[in-house]
Amino acid sequence: MSPTDPAPVLRLRDAAFGYGDRPVVAHVDLTVSPGEVVAVLGPNGSGKSTIVRGVLGLTDHLGGDVELFGVPRREFRQHTRVGYVPQRHTLSASVRATVREIVATGRLGHQGLLARLSRTDKQVVDRALDTVGLADRWAADVSTLSGGQQRRVLIARALASEPDVLLMDEPTAGVDAANQHVLADVLDRLAAGGTTMLLVTHELEAFRDVVTHVVVVDLGRVTWQGPAAEFHRDPGAVLHEHHSHHHDGEDEHHGPPAGRAVVPSGPLDRAPRREARRA
Ligand SMILES: Nc1ncnc2c1ncn2[C@@H]1O[C@H](COP(=O)(O)OP(=O)(O)OP(=O)(O)O)[C@@H](O)[C@H]1O
């Protein structure tokens, strides 16, 4: 982002997202600045994907403000600036396409209707394949790749649109430890190149070196956020404190590291928190 473009990459203010008219997450305040790599942590079902998908307009925006590069999401049209790697998606075994063909679909937003790939398009595709370590597999049928390799194909497809921010929903889901390290290396390379990232993950350890900020989500609320260094000072305190014994209106505490903010909880149209947790 140029110095004349000071807006954060992403800004949510009191945002609520859900399905139909049912909010699943609410009161989300979150700012992602250029170059940050933000990990979104939290238990299953806490609302992490709902937030990420809400930013993309894939879940219903039920309140508050969402801005991308300073532009309200509803008015935002520069879609190629935002890359997305969806959750748990591998490519269907019925897809008959090569690795390179799939990655090349990431260029569609840059092409005119029915346009052929330009030389620049091809270079960008090759660079994306190189970044994820699949340059030598470009001609392979995607259905012959492992789950971890297919995740890398999807990351390369997102990179091929040359996004300024990459949203990734559990990029390591279903990926073994060795391949998690390969993916972590991919993220390291992207971060070194200045790509801003928002990353939902259950495997923070794999990305420890690259993550600059941590956001903790629990029961549809952001319960803690701050620099990764602060989180790592006492992750147990942050996670345990918030995941185990907070009640509505009782978020004040002195245990975990301070972080940027602890967002007070407010009403959601569902069961009280403890009941919701058991549900
Ligand atoms: N398409 C949908 N329609 C209705 N409710 C949904 C839908 N997708 C998710 N939910 C609900 O929203 C809540 C939050 O789900 P979400 O997928 O955002 O959680 P998550 O924190 O990403 O979980 P996980 O770690 O398991 O991926 C859950 O109660 C879930 O059942």
Side-chain angles (χ1 to χ4, degrees), residues 70-246:
V71 178
R73 200 193 55 71
R74 286 175 210 285
E75 294 162 26
F76 186 77
R77 296 288 175 270
Q78 298 172 302
H79 301 294
T80 58
R81 295 184 78 181
V82 184
Y84 175 48
V85 180
Q87 186 181 28
R88 287 196 193 109
H89 270 233
T90 48
L91 295 148
S92 154
S94 64
V95 172
R96 282 281 162 266
T98 66
V99 167
R100 199 161 189 276
E101 284 167 343
I102 295 287
V103 176
T105 63
R107 293 303 294 166
L108 289 174
H110 290 268
Q111 296 172 252
L113 201 60
L114 301 179
R116 300 177 70 91
L117 287 184
S118 69
R119 183 189 302 207
T120 307
D121 290 329
K122 288 177 182 162
Q123 284 170 346
V124 172
V125 167
D126 288 342
R127 204 163 50 232
L129 282 169
D130 201 37
T131 302
V132 301
L134 288 175
D136 58 338
R137 302 301 305 274
W138 68 271
D141 188 324
V142 286
S143 62
T144 65
L145 299 187
S146 72
Q149 288 170 328
Q150 292 192 8
R151 300 288 302 169
R152 278 145 68 194
V153 172
L154 293 174
I155 293 171
R157 182 179 64 176
L159 292 178
S161 81
E162 298 185 289
D164 290 322
V165 61
L166 195 52
L167 308 180
M168 284 183 276
D169 201 343
E170 297 193 34
T172 50
V175 174
D176 65 29
N179 275 296
Q180 279 184 20
H181 286 300
V182 175
L183 278 171
D185 287 345
V186 169
L187 266 57
D188 278 344
R189 248 171 289 158
L190 293 174
T195 305
T196 307
M197 289 179 261
L198 184 71
L199 167 78
V200 174
T201 186
H202 289 282
E203 263 108 15
L204 184 61
E205 215 35 55
F207 301 117
R208 185 167 180 145
D209 294 341
V210 72
V211 166
T212 62
H213 292 81
V214 171
V215 173
V216 179
V217 179
D218 191 16
L219 292 170
R221 295 290 190 285
V222 172
T223 52
W224 190 91
Q225 57 183 303
E230 273 181 43
F231 176 85
H232 286 301
R233 211 170 292 150
D234 198 349
V238 171
L239 295 172
H240 184 257
E241 188 84 6
H242 290 291
H243 288 174
S244 54
H245 45 80
H246 60 174

Side-chain angles (χ1 to χ4, degrees), residues 19 22 24 42-50 87-88 170 202:
Y19 302 90
R22 186 175 79 95
V24 163
N44 291 128
S46 54
K48 305 178 299 293
S49 298
T50 302
Q87 186 181 28
R88 287 196 193 109
E170 297 193 34
H202 289 282

